[in-house]
Amino acid sequence: MSGSGPDLEISRAWLVDPAAGREGPGEIVVIDGILETVTWLDGGDADGVGPDGVVVAPGFVDLHVHLREPGNEDAETVASGLAAAAHGGFTTVCAMPNTTPALDEPGVLAGVRAAAEASGSPVELLAIGAVSLGRGGEQLAALGELADAGVVGFSDDGAPVRSASILRSALAYAGALGLPIVEHAEEQSLTDGAEANDGFVATVLGLRGWPAAAEEMAVARDIAILGDVLRDLPSARLHLTHLSTAGSLDLVRRAKATGLPVTCDVTPHHLALTDEWIAGARRWAWDASGDPWSDDAITSSPYDPSLRVNPPLRAPDDAAACLAALLDGTADAIATDHAPHTEVDKVVEFGQAVNGISGLETALGVVLAAVDAGRLPLLRAIEALTTGPASVLGGRSRRAGSVGLVEGAPADLVVFDRSERWTVTADGLASRGKNTPLLGMALPGRVLVTLAAGRIAYVAPEA
Ligand SMILES: [Zn+2]
């Protein structure tokens, strides 16, 4: 070969191309980093090729990751975060601005970009800028300067945009810039000191309850303000991230039905895990009842601090609502909210642990568990990891409109084997954040190869 890109030929695999709304038996050929041919097989050629084996899909897009650089490189660096992304099949990630200092001015973005460049990773790093200066919630950041520097949206994530009036201004300014506000919906006066979803499990465990109303009030507020701003600025857009309750998703469902430009995502952990896990159960949400004690479902110690997350793991009905929202299009995307932490911050008493799950590398396995259980069609799952989040980004990715298996474009894809299970171990995670409740569990769908921008981002050791 003349160039320096990789060659790859995958024969008789299951291709999933959500951009074309198509899946089926096929073959791909990558030459020198370019996806030269995508061939769909039929008739006898397709015999024996099913969706349960090797799958080829476009590289995944994650709207919500925390990379911790600058400021907390012990928990994650840009380089380790991009390696984790590649291991998880993600080729585009959006970094949240809650670093130290916050990404509230172009200089911080330049530093993050330099770190991405120095890492050598071909995974695309996009940045979400802060809404308020220092994420302090008091003064609007220089949104125009951040937009000029290339951020793809604005958020004070880690926290909500506390002031309704700042949110109103931000939706208007960001709308004028053609960018979304990405909102972490939480009414903090209801969650101060809260530890776990307000419900039966928290009551039995003696943990302070985190009410659904805290999220739903914030979602209602945000949608109301959006409706107001739209009268002056029809380009205003709101994206609600990591929604976790049936009520929140219902508010979005109704807002969408009236034509409001609101989008949302759900996380793998909120659709597949429940608060039962804090009690020590380890069954998937669709097998859960909400009372793991009377079901004899306890298999681990209670109060595992790796389960502390914001918003908290909810009851089985809420997890089912996350899946239903994906199925009917209320949820546009699956986003990981990858939140790596050091052991010092995480291996402590449940109520003292910081919030967050290291999620980039387990997202595919968790989502495939839902697919395996018949709760989510494979094509819809891949859409929610690719074209769904890409549409929220509105083309602000180097892949622009081509998040699909596009012949002639630089290869940007993931190859995984649904028939192979792999065990999650601390050493096996590329992320510095080993804080996941899935350690020791076997997940379906081992990633074999990830190609990004025509280059190798990840190859499994024995692939
Ligand atoms: Zn958040």
Side-chain angles (χ1 to χ4, degrees):
M1 287 301 118
S2 51
S4 55
D7 296 342
L8 178 71
E9 199 173 324
I10 307 276
S11 312
R12 297 175 53 73
W14 189 262
L15 310 187
V16 181
D17 187 357
R22 183 170 185 183
E23 63 179 323
E27 305 183 336
I28 60 152
V29 178
V30 174
I31 299 173
D32 195 15
I34 302 297
L35 181 54
E36 291 289 351
T37 58
V38 177
T39 309
W40 297 89
L41 300 175
D42 46 29
D45 295 342
D47 280 355
V49 184
D52 301 326
V54 173
V55 174
V56 180
F60 305 149
V61 177
D62 195 343
L63 293 172
H64 191 147
V65 304
H66 299 277
L67 298 186
R68 309 303 188 203
E69 182 175 356
N72 192 6
E73 289 82 353
D74 288 345
E76 194 79 292
T77 63
V78 168
S80 64
L82 296 182
H87 181 213
F90 290 89
T91 58
T92 298
V93 297
C94 300
M96 282 296 175
N98 62 334
T99 47
T100 311
L103 203 160
D104 63 359
E105 53 96 10
V108 180
L109 176 56
V112 169
R113 284 207 173 122
E117 184 72 33
S119 77
S121 172
V123 171
E124 179 179 34
L125 173 59
L126 300 173
I128 293 174
V131 167
S132 63
L133 273 182
R135 295 176 49 256
E138 308 212 320
Q139 209 181 330
L140 211 55
L143 306 191
E145 284 177 34
L146 285 165
D148 287 347
V151 301
V152 297
F154 302 99
S155 182
D156 274 353
D157 186 71
V161 178
R162 271 179 286 271
S163 150
S165 119
I166 290 208
L167 178 64
R168 192 184 191 292
S169 304
L171 277 165
Y173 280 116
L177 296 164
L179 294 173
I181 297 295
V182 179
E183 172 72 332
H184 163 121
E186 178 186 354
E187 169 49 54
Q188 291 179 310
S189 63
L190 283 176
T191 60
D192 191 24
E195 295 170 302
N197 180 52
D198 193 25
F200 179 68
V201 169
T203 303
V204 173
L205 293 176
L207 294 171
R208 279 169 292 181
W210 186 310
E215 182 173 304
E216 291 157 9
M217 279 176 67
V219 168
R221 176 198 79 158
D222 295 352
I223 290 173
I225 295 172
L226 174 69
D228 194 39
V229 170
L230 281 168
R231 282 197 283 278
D232 295 328
L233 264 159
S235 56
R237 283 169 57 221
L238 172 67
H239 179 78
L240 296 157
T241 189
H242 55 52
L243 292 187
S244 67
T245 79
S248 299
L249 291 159
D250 223 35
L251 287 165
V252 173
R253 185 173 288 116
R254 278 186 270 158
K256 282 188 162 188
T258 67
L260 285 183
V262 56
T263 51
C264 73
D265 65 65
V266 294
T267 72
H269 48 273
H270 287 113
L271 66 87
L273 277 56
T274 65
D275 56 1
E276 284 191 350
W277 284 50
I278 305 170
R282 287 294 179 271
R283 55 185 175 181
W284 296 119
W286 42 90
D287 297 323
S289 69
D291 184 353
W293 294 282
S294 58
D295 291 355
D296 247 341
I298 308 293
T299 54
S300 295
S301 310
Y303 305 105
D304 176 352
S306 72
L307 293 160
R308 186 149 203 242
V309 63
N310 178 354
L313 297 176
R314 302 285 188 182
D317 286 355
D318 290 311
C322 291
L323 272 170
L326 278 172
L327 288 172
D328 75 3
T330 298
D332 302 83
I334 294 169
T336 66
D337 191 7
H338 174 71
H341 289 293
T342 60
E343 287 198 11
V344 178
D345 287 329
K346 208 56 181 168
V347 185
V348 291
E349 196 184 312
F350 190 85
Q352 305 301 315
V354 292
N355 289 304
I357 293 174
S358 181
L360 273 168
E361 293 164 89
T362 54
L364 174 64
V366 170
V367 170
L368 286 176
V371 175
D372 287 351
R375 304 288 163 161
L376 188 62
L378 178 64
L379 179 59
R380 180 61 193 140
I382 300 297
E383 272 176 7
L385 288 164
T386 56
T387 46
S391 72
V392 173
L393 291 172
R396 275 173 209 82
S397 155
R398 67 183 173 207
R399 296 156 73 189
S402 65
V403 179
L405 299 176
V406 184
E407 284 185 347
D412 206 304
L413 53 85
V414 54
V415 183
F416 56 92
D417 189 347
R418 287 186 65 196
S419 71
E420 268 196 70
R421 290 181 165 266
W422 63 285
T423 300
V424 184
T425 63
D427 285 348
L429 296 177
S431 172
R432 289 191 179 180
K434 313 301 183 186
N435 52 301
T436 165
L438 301 166
L439 286 180
M441 282 186 70
L443 296 179
R446 197 164 74 96
V447 173
L448 303 178
V449 178
T450 306
L451 300 182
R455 293 164 55 200
I456 294 172
Y458 174 81
V459 182
E462 323 80 76

